[in-house]
Every structure is written in structure tokens, then in C-alpha cells.
Amino acid sequence: MKVLVAPDKFKGSLTAAEVASAVAAGLADASLEVATLPVADGGDGTVDAAVAAGYERVTVPARGPTGVPVTASYAVRGDTAVVELAEASGLHRLPGAPAPLTATSVGTGDVIAAAVVAGCRRIVLGVGGSACTDGGAGLLTALGARLSDSSGRELPFGGAALARLASLDVSGLSRVDIELACDVDNPLYGPSGAAVVYGPQKGASPADVETLDSALRHWASVAGPEFADRPGAGAAGGVGFAAMAVLGARMRPGISLLLELLGFESALAGASLVITGEGSLDRQTLSGKAPAGVARAAAAAGIPCVAVSGRCLLSASELAKAGISAAYALTDLEPDPARCMAEAAPLLRRLARRVATDYFSLSR
């Protein structure tokens, strides 16, 4: 009996590769054949998942969300590069307090530019976890675009400055084939837009949200108003909009695109059971997160799927709708959340043995 272990990370506790390793160890205790394929849905951990699947990690200098130099990485195989926006432009890259009005996506553009110089012709861009709401203007600047005010001066970084935009010059822009791995469908601006929905998570006050939403509306009027309402335009503070409107990027569900890149179909061959998971199984899981995507792919192949997690807030019927036949949570073994996080690996190993016992008991 072959079991494929394909989890996402347990955020704040274990990487996807560490989760897969712990589960595999528990299954090995039950003398099962195990294959592991750590996954991601385009957010934090996307590059790590690609590297675990055999891509090569490349480290490059980039500018962080406040312009402070950082070291970021992307993953490459052949002429395809997997770029994770959070690597250079994520919240964890902020050197101090949030900078909702001035944070920039320029570092993500730096990483893409480096990949293009290295010979990559296809960029898969995961757009989760950003610290900025700049409409992707910083990313375009790094790739050669010029944004100017009415006096011809280049705009400073950040979403608030877009209110002063008078012209967008894309004559020097590097052209590259970009696919966006995205699991949100927000438009660029408005009640469901980037600033209103995600701005507060990035430190924006109500006044900041109003400023940013107005600036994004103006940015769209210059860069491509017909793209502002596209599903995903509001992803990563509007990076989705800039990528589609100016770079001609294509939007795809993050987990579907990543499973294709990681070789999920090949890894699934011969499996009798798939184990997926993430730190918290909740309503967000049902909206295109990695476990639901893995479960759908397994179901399409006629293979049952169960999930492991730190906690599970979904009912049995909700899990079933996502294609997950059962869920096993660390809190089933240890009620203290702090201990669950601190001892996640050994607890996962125990959970995996329970999965093996339950599954084979049902199979006999």
C-alpha cells in the first residue's frame, strides 16, 4: 500500500517539508510505502515546495517592502522560475512597524528581473502574503517601467503616491511570460478591493484605507481600467492587477498551478491514500487552499484523501464537500495549543500512526 503525503506548511511551526517528514516517519512505523510531496498554494512556502520537488534554489539581492536590501530566492528548473512574492515583499520582511502607505512590491520585480537575466522565460508568481498595497507599481518599476507625476518626476514607492500619477511609460519594460498562482478573487478597488479587505492586515488605518483605495482607483484609470474588476486584480495589494494589465499575465488557481509544477499526478501513481494538511483546517481551507486542492486532485483519480492539521474547525460535512474523508488534529492528542506548536513534529508522527491504523481497519 502506497501513501502519498502532500501537506502544506503548519504556519509558525513546521515547513511543508517538515510536516511531510514527520507524517512519513509515522507511516514508516506502520511499515507502509510512503512518497512525500510538500505543496503550497502560491503563498509563503511556495519556493520551498518547488525546491523539495527538485527545483534549484537561486539566491539574489532584492529590495524589501521599505526599500531596505534583503536576500531573496526563487526556484528554477529549465527555463521556468517559481517566484514567491512574500520572499522579497512579504510582511515578515518589514524591518519594523508596518508601512501601509509606502510599502512597495519592487523587490518582487527585482527577483523576476534576476530570473529573466538568468535565462528564465516562464515565471510562475505566487502572490500571497504581501506587505504592500501599491497596485504592483513597484514590481513594474523594477522591470523597467517609469511612473511620473505631472512635473515629470518619478513617483516614490508605495500605494499612496499613485494618487499623483500622471503618466506610465512602459517602453523600457522587460517582457516575460508570467502565470499568477492566486487563491483570491478580489478586484483592485472598492468594497471588496485590495485596500479595504487586506489593508488593515498590513497596518492601514481607516483613513489609510480610504487613501489607498482612491489611489488604486486612479492607478487603474491610467494603467488599464478594464482589468480592475478582474478576479484576482486585488491579489497582493494589486500586484495581480499590474501583472495582468501591463504584463499580460494569466491568472490560475494557486494550488492547481503548483500541483502541476510539482508533478503531483506522477507522484500520485500507485497510491491508495493521500494525506494532506495545513496548520488550521477552517473556512479558508474551503476557498482554494492547498488541502482542498490536493483532495480534489486525489478525488479526480479515485483515491481517498485525509488531512492532518494543528486544529480542525470544519464539520464532517464541510470536510466531505472539500473531498477530505477524515481529519486528524494535533489538538486531538494535546489540548494545549502552545505545546501543539512546540511539539508539532512528534505529535504528527503519532497522528500518522493513527491514520494508518484507522485506514487499514476500514479497508479490511
Side-chain angles (χ1 to χ4, degrees), residues 309-312 328-337 340 347 351:
S309 63
R311 64 176 185 174
C312 180
Y328 298 76
L330 300 187
T331 51
D332 296 340
L333 302 176
E334 172 52 65
D336 181 1
C340 282
L347 288 171
L351 270 189

Side-chain angles (χ1 to χ4, degrees), residues 9-177:
K9 64 188 174 298
F10 279 30
K11 194 167 186 177
S13 183
L14 299 174
T15 66
E18 290 169 338
V19 173
S21 178
V23 173
L27 296 174
D29 292 342
S31 300
L32 292 171
E33 178 189 352
V34 182
T36 61
L37 187 74
V39 302
D41 56 16
D44 300 357
T46 294
V47 168
D48 288 343
V51 171
Y55 284 66
E56 178 186 356
R57 187 186 301 275
V58 179
T59 301
V60 296
R63 287 165 284 184
T66 61
V68 174
V70 300
T71 299
S73 62
Y74 66 92
V76 63
R77 175 188 284 168
D79 66 354
T80 296
V82 179
V83 177
E84 178 184 322
L85 180 139
E87 268 286 303
S89 309
L91 284 166
H92 70 286
R93 290 296 195 181
L94 290 167
L101 300 180
T102 58
T104 174
S105 59
V106 69
T108 300
D110 291 336
V111 177
I112 293 173
V116 172
V117 168
C120 296
R121 294 294 172 262
R122 179 193 182 201
I123 306 294
V124 175
L125 176 59
V127 290
S130 78
C132 52
T133 312
D134 73 341
L139 180 149
L140 296 179
T141 299
L143 294 177
R146 190 175 189 275
L147 286 73
S148 306
D149 63 17
S150 58
S151 299
R153 294 186 295 263
E154 288 193 43
L155 292 184
F157 290 137
L162 293 173
R164 307 200 304 274
L165 178 68
S167 68
L168 170 63
D169 181 359
V170 298
S171 60
L173 198 64
S174 298
R175 297 294 178 177
V176 64
D177 180 19

Side-chain angles (χ1 to χ4, degrees), residues 122-126 177-181 249-250 252 257 260:
R122 179 193 182 201
I123 306 294
V124 175
L125 176 59
D177 180 19
I178 296 180
E179 292 177 81
L180 297 172
R250 301 178 301 284
R252 290 185 59 187
L257 178 51
E260 177 185 303

Side-chain angles (χ1 to χ4, degrees), residues 188-206:
L188 179 62
Y189 57 78
S192 301
V196 174
V197 175
Y198 300 109
Q201 301 173 14
K202 304 171 187 181
S205 68

Side-chain angles (χ1 to χ4, degrees), residues 194-258:
V196 174
V197 175
Y198 300 109
Q201 301 173 14
K202 304 171 187 181
S205 68
D208 293 338
V209 168
E210 186 175 338
T211 295
L212 289 167
D213 191 61
S214 177
L216 291 175
R217 187 180 297 268
H218 178 63
W219 168 230
S221 72
V222 175
E226 68 274 23
F227 290 90
D229 290 331
R230 294 275 183 94
V239 165
F241 165 78
M244 290 189 289
V246 182
L247 299 175
R250 301 178 301 284
M251 185 78 67
R252 290 185 59 187
I255 184 59
S256 298
L257 178 51
L258 265 297

Side-chain angles (χ1 to χ4, degrees), residues 247-275:
L247 299 175
R250 301 178 301 284
M251 185 78 67
R252 290 185 59 187
I255 184 59
S256 298
L257 178 51
L258 265 297
L259 289 182
E260 177 185 303
L261 285 175
L262 300 177
F264 181 81
E265 186 175 346
S266 296
L268 192 61
S272 301
L273 177 69
V274 174
I275 301 178

